[in-house]
């Protein structure tokens, strides 16, 4: 029996072994058995068994027609496997990729199959099988596939090793032109960085060169792709990976004449000029340093170096500054370029760069007194720097060289001195012989420029047709999928869209369930339900899918249970967050009711985008329920109560609630009369908690714990954890990779303290665990309703010291919104800041950046009020607080701007200490500003 025949016989004998397949896969296999001949059906059986190594022999015996007959079934199988990412499905997915590549007889179709987002080359070892099933095609066909597959990838995506190995092998086999797309260039660099990848690529000879330099010398792609490295995003971070050094190898190739040295130099500088992530630029900076440009080469590129100074990352700008200073020391820069460099650097925030620039200017004036005029005018730009220490340094430089600068420079210096802080103006006025205006509070009380108070945004009307419901559900599912594959670029799903879609499913299941099912069928086809596996993780917007799947018969609903979300068919269901448990219970209840007792609409559907419900609207909904005989769902009613904006309930609403006859109406009336839950004061402590990532010493954090909220009437078990006792000990961040966390503020939209309380570990982790995105919910809490108490302010204090700039920006936004609404307790926030700094969670330099941003936004009085409460605790700390002088300087700047007067605890004592340390100097400045008389 031939090899192919034997393989076929073995596969046929295993036809009945399909227990490991999902129901959908069995349907595909059954259809293939009915419609395909034996040879083609054997391919499907190989996929079912995950026997990818048998596919080349099986497919070699098939005609093009037989191969094409398999394609519809393979596509259907691909859809069924879309959500199956478990280990058991891995062999079938690998076999499916190979089978589909071989069965598509057109180059475009084969490339589309290989690059489809639902598939991936799971193992590098699959490349030989793929080459085997594609090897009987003409060379031009293989080259076309290679270019099409390469063209489908994005340079910023994580290219699978198997895809690149296949494309490279097809290029070498076919002799086609080398692809020049960004993704191919990026993966070529990654591939060459590791000897094992070069050794194991298809076609690499035995004894292939092992050093990077040797590999590149022998590389047929080098001449085409090396110049493109500087144009592709993502390459720079790869240049320092691997076992060898790209910088050294490129420098050696340039020295040998294999690569053009000037092209490498210009490529590095142009890439650094374009900017990017620090890790990306470090690679090109290493290449530039490896090339070790001469002074002549730098002099020829002085204009490019000047262009790097204003905006490049500090390490890049420092290199440009150093080389330009060296050129200036050799007399190769004129005064105009010296002034241009100074203008670019002296407005930067990095103190090290500004100090270096002032030193450069000082050295230039010392070398040549004739440049003193140009030097003092250049240094005048630093008089407007936000850091008063740098202002003083610039003023000292001007004083040192003023007598050699000539009288022509004084008017411009006087104008520049107007930007000085109040503590330095008297000295500048005396030095320049002029009077400087006082920008204190001479024109009346200072008012911060705060953002407008956010107005409530009403939600869109309910979805009117089943088609609109299907469209909205499809949009939610598409957004969830996009967030899975590209979380940084995806917009996600907000609470208003989720709630509107859920209400639409319930509303139209009541009106015309059959019509709704017909409208949803295309959505379910595009987003197949994956059964119990789809509940893996905390419930989020994507679990709307469950309700749609129940409606369409893809899943059987679970009956209502007293255990709430614990009834979810999920092995980790008991690990849900309190918010996830409440959401899961609502979804289970809705899924059960759409089939068994669909209500006319949801009671808990918000009336504003932040999740609140107008009391008058809820009373009207309950009246409609009573009129139609509908029974409120327990979880639906509980969520509606927690969303009630009790502050909007006037006498008319209370009277209308009193006319309701059912138990639900009575609960709403009691809830409104009591004003909602009563929240106890949290208990504060600062003790060691868990260890970061399981290593090192335990983290010391300021933490809040709380007793259970006092409720006007009992709520169901699904909400008990959310409103119950909260103990902070050992809590970890629960929002990372949790798509449902965006919905959390809408669960308790008028009780933001409860949300903030449970987010304390997340807020703190932005500082001591360097969590990215942990402050994302804080602006929503600032705009929410309810008391902004200890939890909100402590969360704000933690996130003002976050590691990542986007989290600090979110914290500043929240600070300004709270201040604009009159909800900010600056004294409380200041004390929290001091306490979190003492605990080590908040680093003063990060706090400084946040507060400076708030000042730049127009809120110096708010910032001063916070610092006035924070500084006494910091100054009284037993150990010196690193960065405290900078905070004192910022306080003096804010006080001078807004006209604040009066003592701040601890400042006078610090100013009275002996010595000339910076802390003492800044304390004296602040004391003097606060003690200055206000101009009449």
């Amino acid at each position: 029996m031939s090899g192919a025949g034997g393989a076929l016989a073995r596969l046929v004998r295993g036809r009945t072994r399909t227990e490991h397949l999902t129901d959908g896969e069995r349907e595909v296999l059954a259809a293939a058995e009915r419609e395909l001949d034996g040879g083609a059906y054997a391919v499907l059986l190989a996929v079912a068994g995950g026997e990818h190594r048998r596919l080349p022999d099986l497919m070699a015996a098939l005609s093009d027609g037989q191969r094409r007959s398999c394609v519809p079934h393979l596509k259907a199988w691909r859809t069924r496997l879309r959500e199956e990412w478990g280990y058991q499905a891995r062999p079938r997915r690998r076999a499916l990729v190979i089978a589909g590549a071989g069965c598509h007889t057109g180059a475009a179709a084969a490339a589309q199959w290989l690059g489809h987002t639902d598939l991936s080359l799971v193992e590098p070892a699959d490349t030989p099988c793929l080459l085997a099933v594609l090897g009987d095609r003409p060379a031009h066909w293989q080259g076309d596939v290679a270019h099409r597959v390469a063209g489908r990838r994005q340079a910023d995506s994580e290219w699978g090793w198997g895809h690149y190995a296949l494309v490279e092998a097809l290029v070498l086999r076919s002799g086609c032109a080398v692809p020049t797309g960004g993704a191919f260039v990026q993966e070529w660099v990654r591939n060459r960085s590791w000897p094992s990848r070069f050794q194991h690529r298809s076609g690499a000879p035995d004894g292939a060169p092992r050093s990077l330099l040797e590999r590149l010398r022998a590389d047929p792609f080098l001449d085409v792709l090396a110049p493109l490295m500087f144009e592709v995003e993502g390459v720079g971070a790869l240049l320092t990976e691997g076992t060898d050094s790209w910088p050294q190898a490129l420098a050696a190739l340039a020295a040998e004449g294999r690569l053009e040295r000037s092209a490498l130099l210009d490529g590095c500088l142009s890439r650094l000029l374009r900017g990017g992530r620090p890790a990306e630029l470090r690679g090109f900076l290493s290449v530039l340093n490896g090339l070790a440009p001469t002074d002549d080469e730098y002099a020829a590129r002085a204009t490019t170096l000047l262009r790097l100074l204003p905006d490049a990352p500090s390490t890049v700008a420092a290199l440009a500054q150093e080389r330009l200073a060296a050129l200036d020391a050799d007399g190769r820069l004129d005064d105009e370029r010296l002034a241009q460099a100074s203008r670019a650097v002296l407005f930067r925030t990095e103190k090290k760069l500004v100090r270096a620039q002032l030193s450069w200017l000082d050295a230039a004036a010392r070398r040549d007194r004739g440049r003193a005029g140009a030097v003092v005018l250049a240094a005048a730009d630093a008089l407007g720097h936000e850091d008063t220490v740098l202002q003083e340094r610039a003023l000292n430089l001007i004083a040192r060289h003023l007598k050699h600068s000539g009288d022509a420079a004084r008017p411009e210096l006087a104008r520049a001195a107007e930007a000085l802080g109040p503590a330095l103006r008297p000295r500048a006025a005396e030095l320049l012989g002029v009077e400087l205006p006082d920008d204190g509070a001479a024109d009346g009380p200072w008012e911060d420029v705060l953002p407008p108070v956010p107005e409530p945004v009403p939600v869109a009307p309910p979805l009117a047709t089943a088609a609109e419901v299907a469209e909205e559900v499809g949009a939610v599912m598409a957004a969830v999928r996009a967030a899975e594959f590209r979380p940084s670029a995806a917009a996600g799903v907000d609470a208003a869209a989720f709630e509107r879609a859920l209400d639409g499913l319930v509303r139209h299941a009541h009106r015309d369930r059959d019509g709704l099912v017909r409208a949803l069928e295309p959505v379910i086809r595009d987003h197949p339900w994956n059964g119990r596996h789809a509940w893996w993780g905390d419930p989020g917007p994507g679990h709307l899918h469950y309700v749609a799947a129940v409606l369409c018969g893809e899943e059987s609903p679970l009956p209502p249970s007293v255990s709430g979300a614990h009834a979810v068919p999920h092995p980790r269901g008991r690990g849900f967050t309190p918010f996830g448990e409440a959401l899961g219970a609502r979804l289970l209840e809705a899924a059960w009711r759409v089939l068994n007792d669909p209500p006319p609409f949801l009671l808990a559907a918000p009336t504003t985008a932040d999740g609140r419900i107008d009391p008058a609207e809820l009373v009207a909904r309950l009246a409609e329920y009573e009129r139609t005989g509908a029974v409120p769902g327990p979880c639906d009613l509980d969520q509606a109560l927690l969303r009630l904006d009790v502050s909007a309930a006037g006498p008319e609403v209370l009277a209308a609630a009193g006319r309701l006859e059912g138990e639900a109406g009575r609960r709403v009336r009691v809830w409104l009369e009591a004003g909602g839950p009563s929240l106890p004061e949290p208990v504060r402590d600062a003790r060691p908690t868990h260890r970061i990532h399981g290593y090192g010493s335990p983290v010391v954090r300021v933490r809040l714990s709380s007793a259970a909220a006092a409720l006007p009437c009992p709520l169901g078990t699904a909400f008990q954890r959310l409103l119950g006792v909260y103990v902070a000990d050992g809590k970890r961040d629960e929002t990372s990779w949790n798509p449902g966390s965006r919905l959390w503020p809408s669960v308790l939209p008028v009780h933001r303290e409860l949300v903030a309380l449970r987010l304390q570990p997340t807020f703190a982790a932005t500082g001591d665990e360097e969590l990215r995105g942990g402050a994302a919910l804080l602006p929503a809490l600032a705009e929410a309703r309810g008391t902004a108490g200890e939890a909100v302010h402590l969360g704000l204090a933690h996130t003002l010291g976050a590691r990542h700039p986007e989290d600090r920006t979110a914290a500043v936004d929240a600070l300004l919104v709270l201040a604009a609404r009159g909800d900010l307790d600056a004294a409380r926030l200041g004390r929290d800041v001091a306490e979190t700094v003492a605990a080590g969670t908040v680093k003063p330099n990060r706090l400084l950046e946040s507060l400076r941003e708030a000042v730049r936004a127009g809120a110096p009085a708010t910032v001063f009020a916070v610092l006035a409460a924070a500084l006494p605790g910091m100054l009284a700390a037993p150990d010196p607080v690193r960065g405290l002088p900078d905070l004192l300087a910022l306080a003096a700047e804010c006080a001078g701007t807004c006209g604040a007067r009066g003592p701040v605890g601890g400042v006078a004592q610090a100013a009275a200490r002996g010595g000339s340390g910076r802390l003492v100097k800044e304390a004296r400045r602040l004391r003097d500003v606060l003690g200055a008389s206000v101009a009449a």
Side-chain angles (χ1 to χ4, degrees):
M1 182 178 292
S2 68
L8 174 59
R10 285 191 297 272
L11 288 169
V12 170
R13 286 195 298 270
R15 298 171 57 163
T16 59
R17 296 197 297 271
T18 60
E19 295 82 1
H20 61 291
L21 303 181
T22 65
D23 292 341
E25 290 177 284
R26 292 193 191 98
E27 292 175 6
V28 174
L29 196 60
E33 184 177 19
R34 291 192 302 269
E35 299 173 15
L36 300 180
D37 59 31
Y41 180 58
V43 171
L44 273 292
L45 285 175
V47 173
E51 299 179 276
H52 62 280
R53 290 187 180 87
R54 298 186 183 277
L55 285 168
D57 289 340
L58 289 171
M59 300 184 69
L62 300 183
S63 67
D64 282 355
Q66 288 176 301
R67 294 187 182 194
R68 285 192 293 269
S69 69
C70 295
V71 170
H73 302 285
L74 294 173
K75 287 183 175 180
W77 206 314
R78 181 182 67 192
T79 301
R80 297 299 183 178
L81 274 180
R82 178 178 290 165
E83 304 294 338
E84 291 288 337
W85 289 98
Y87 181 81
Q88 296 82 357
R90 192 174 179 180
R92 304 198 298 281
R93 185 178 293 278
R94 296 175 62 188
L96 183 64
V97 172
I98 297 167
C103 287
H104 283 85
T105 56
Q112 185 178 24
W113 176 269
L114 287 167
H116 200 281
T117 55
D118 287 343
L119 300 173
S120 64
L121 291 175
V122 181
E123 299 289 346
D126 292 339
T127 300
C129 288
L130 280 164
L131 292 174
V133 299
L134 300 176
D136 58 349
R137 300 297 180 185
H140 68 85
W141 189 96
Q142 295 184 42
D144 191 9
V145 169
H147 276 264
R148 288 177 182 273
V149 172
R152 289 178 64 88
R153 303 297 298 185
Q154 297 296 319
D156 59 347
S157 64
E158 191 66 27
W159 185 295
W161 152 239
H163 279 99
Y164 175 79
L166 173 65
V167 173
E168 179 178 336
L170 289 173
V171 170
L172 293 173
R173 278 189 173 194
S174 66
C176 67
V178 180
T180 56
F184 189 81
V185 176
Q186 185 183 36
E187 188 61 21
W188 173 74
V189 174
R190 181 183 286 115
N191 179 275
R192 297 306 186 260
S193 298
W194 300 96
S196 59
R197 290 185 171 183
F198 184 89
Q199 289 288 106
H200 291 107
R201 85 176 197 266
S202 179
D206 294 335
R210 298 194 62 83
S211 76
L212 176 61
L213 179 57
E214 292 174 321
R215 294 196 298 274
L216 291 177
R217 282 177 182 150
D219 197 318
F221 296 169
L222 177 68
D223 296 333
V224 176
L225 299 185
L228 301 177
M229 293 192 304
F230 307 104
E231 302 176 10
V232 176
E233 191 69 28
V235 167
L238 303 175
L239 296 177
T240 54
E241 288 186 356
T243 57
D244 282 326
S245 167
W246 274 89
Q248 292 178 7
L250 292 174
L253 291 169
E256 296 170 2
R258 176 67 187 275
L259 295 177
E260 186 179 349
R261 178 179 173 85
S262 62
L264 293 178
L265 288 173
D266 291 336
C268 284
L269 289 173
S270 65
R271 186 60 188 83
L272 294 173
L273 188 60
R274 200 171 82 208
R277 294 175 291 118
E280 177 79 358
L281 298 185
R282 276 196 296 270
F284 295 108
L285 195 59
S286 297
V287 173
L288 183 64
N289 289 330
L291 291 169
T294 65
D295 286 345
D296 288 340
E297 288 173 323
Y298 273 127
R301 296 165 174 83
T303 300
T304 303
L305 294 177
L306 287 167
R307 293 176 62 195
L308 287 170
L309 293 177
D311 303 311
S314 58
T315 52
V316 177
L319 172 69
Q321 184 185 48
E322 178 186 347
R323 301 320 307 160
L324 287 167
L327 292 174
D328 186 55
D330 289 342
R332 304 177 77 166
L333 282 189
D334 56 25
D335 289 354
E336 183 177 347
R337 288 195 167 187
L338 175 64
Q340 183 181 350
S342 298
R343 283 194 298 272
V345 173
L346 294 180
F347 286 107
R348 293 186 63 125
T349 58
E350 298 93 338
K351 299 175 187 177
K352 184 176 180 180
L353 287 176
V354 177
R355 287 195 298 267
Q357 190 65 30
L358 292 173
S359 297
W360 173 7
L361 289 171
D362 188 42
R366 289 177 186 273
R367 283 194 304 268
D368 182 359
R369 296 297 186 187
R371 304 181 79 183
V375 164
V376 296
L377 289 176
D381 287 333
L383 298 180
H385 198 277
E386 60 186 18
D387 188 276
T388 56
V389 174
L390 295 176
Q391 290 182 4
E392 184 177 25
R393 192 178 184 121
L395 189 59
N396 291 338
L397 187 152
I398 292 171
R400 190 157 47 246
H401 300 290
L402 183 62
K403 62 182 178 181
H404 301 292
S405 65
D407 293 337
R410 290 178 179 267
E412 189 169 342
L413 291 174
R415 286 192 293 272
E418 294 178 6
L420 284 167
L424 293 174
R425 284 185 191 168
R427 182 188 168 200
E430 181 181 359
L431 175 67
L432 299 174
V434 296
E435 291 187 9
L436 297 178
D438 181 9
D439 64 345
D443 297 330
W446 173 272
E447 290 187 6
D448 283 347
V449 180
L450 297 172
V453 176
E455 295 294 331
V457 179
V459 298
L463 297 167
T465 66
E468 290 181 6
V469 174
E471 182 179 358
E472 195 74 12
V473 171
V476 169
M477 299 311 304
V480 169
R481 174 171 292 176
E484 289 175 355
F485 289 102
R486 300 285 299 278
S488 61
V493 179
D494 60 29
F498 169 78
E499 294 286 350
R500 192 163 179 254
L502 180 60
D503 176 70
L505 289 171
V506 172
R507 187 180 294 265
H508 288 274
H510 173 81
R511 293 181 183 177
D512 179 8
R513 189 167 64 207
D514 292 339
L516 178 60
V517 169
R518 287 193 297 272
L520 287 171
E521 284 174 352
V523 177
I524 295 297
R525 280 199 304 270
D526 289 342
H527 304 277
W529 173 246
N530 196 28
R532 298 188 175 196
H533 297 292
W535 284 95
W536 190 267
D538 214 47
H543 291 83
L544 186 72
H545 199 181
Y546 171 67
V547 182
V550 167
L551 271 166
C552 294
E554 298 286 325
E555 181 66 274
S556 298
L558 293 170
S561 168
V562 293
S563 60
H566 291 170
V568 171
H570 179 293
R572 291 177 57 199
R574 294 182 184 273
F576 287 172
T577 66
F579 295 94
E581 186 172 337
L583 178 59
R586 289 185 62 210
L587 290 168
L588 289 172
E589 180 180 273
W592 172 263
R593 298 204 67 187
V594 292
L595 286 190
N596 297 281
D597 182 22
F601 43 76
L602 287 179
L603 295 174
T607 56
T608 58
D610 59 4
R612 287 177 294 144
I613 297 178
D614 186 338
E617 176 63 22
L618 181 58
V619 170
R621 291 174 184 175
L622 282 172
E624 179 64 14
Y625 263 55
E626 290 185 357
R627 188 188 68 79
T628 60
V631 178
C635 292
D636 186 29
L637 180 57
D638 287 349
Q639 177 63 90
L641 291 173
L642 290 172
R643 286 177 168 165
L644 264 183
D645 187 0
V646 294
S647 64
E652 302 84 356
V653 174
L654 291 173
R659 292 192 290 271
L660 296 173
E661 299 176 355
E663 173 62 17
R666 185 195 67 80
R667 294 180 65 195
V668 169
R669 184 171 62 254
V670 169
W671 195 277
L672 291 174
E673 290 172 347
S678 176
L679 307 184
E681 284 295 319
V683 177
R684 176 183 296 248
D685 66 66
R687 297 199 309 265
T689 63
H690 63 274
R691 297 181 178 187
I692 297 178
H693 307 307
Y695 301 97
S697 301
V699 177
V700 177
R701 283 180 176 172
V702 182
R703 307 172 306 175
L704 298 175
S705 300
S706 176
L711 302 177
C713 55
L715 300 182
T717 56
F719 293 89
Q720 286 179 359
R721 284 179 62 207
L722 197 59
L723 301 166
V725 174
Y726 178 80
V727 179
D729 188 50
K731 297 293 184 182
R732 303 296 301 268
D733 164 56
E734 295 180 309
T735 64
S736 300
W737 302 102
N738 188 336
S741 61
R742 287 191 64 176
L743 306 181
W744 292 3
S746 69
V747 177
L748 298 167
V750 292
H751 309 293
R752 56 182 166 185
E753 269 292 285
L754 287 175
V755 181
L757 183 69
R758 282 155 177 79
L759 286 173
Q760 289 306 306
T762 298
F763 293 150
T766 61
D768 62 19
E769 293 190 39
E770 302 191 350
L771 173 69
R772 186 185 294 274
L777 296 179
L778 196 58
L781 295 182
E783 295 183 13
R785 297 299 190 269
T787 302
E790 288 195 52
V792 170
H793 283 79
L794 181 58
L796 182 57
H798 277 132
T799 52
L800 285 171
R803 163 67 177 82
H804 297 288
E806 58 267 38
D807 288 308
R808 295 199 298 272
T809 298
V812 171
D813 290 344
L815 170 70
L816 297 176
V817 169
L818 287 170
R821 296 180 58 180
D823 293 338
L824 180 70
D825 185 337
R828 168 180 280 172
L829 177 59
R831 292 191 297 271
D832 287 343
V833 163
E835 196 172 1
T836 54
V837 168
T841 312
V842 170
K843 292 181 170 54
N845 62 321
R846 298 173 183 171
L847 172 66
L848 179 70
E849 289 300 315
S850 296
L851 295 180
R852 281 200 181 281
E853 184 62 32
V855 172
R856 286 191 287 267
T862 299
V863 170
F864 177 77
V866 173
L867 286 173
L871 289 174
M874 294 185 186
L875 289 167
D879 298 319
V881 176
R882 187 176 182 180
L884 181 54
D886 292 318
L887 293 172
L888 286 165
L890 179 62
E893 176 188 333
C894 293
T897 301
C898 66
R901 300 293 182 263
V904 170
V907 172
Q909 292 83 349
R913 297 176 191 171
S916 58
R918 182 156 176 243
L919 187 144
V920 174
K921 290 172 66 176
E922 297 299 345
R924 289 171 181 168
R925 280 201 184 100
L926 177 57
R927 178 201 60 192
D928 293 344
V929 171
L930 294 175
S933 60
V934 181

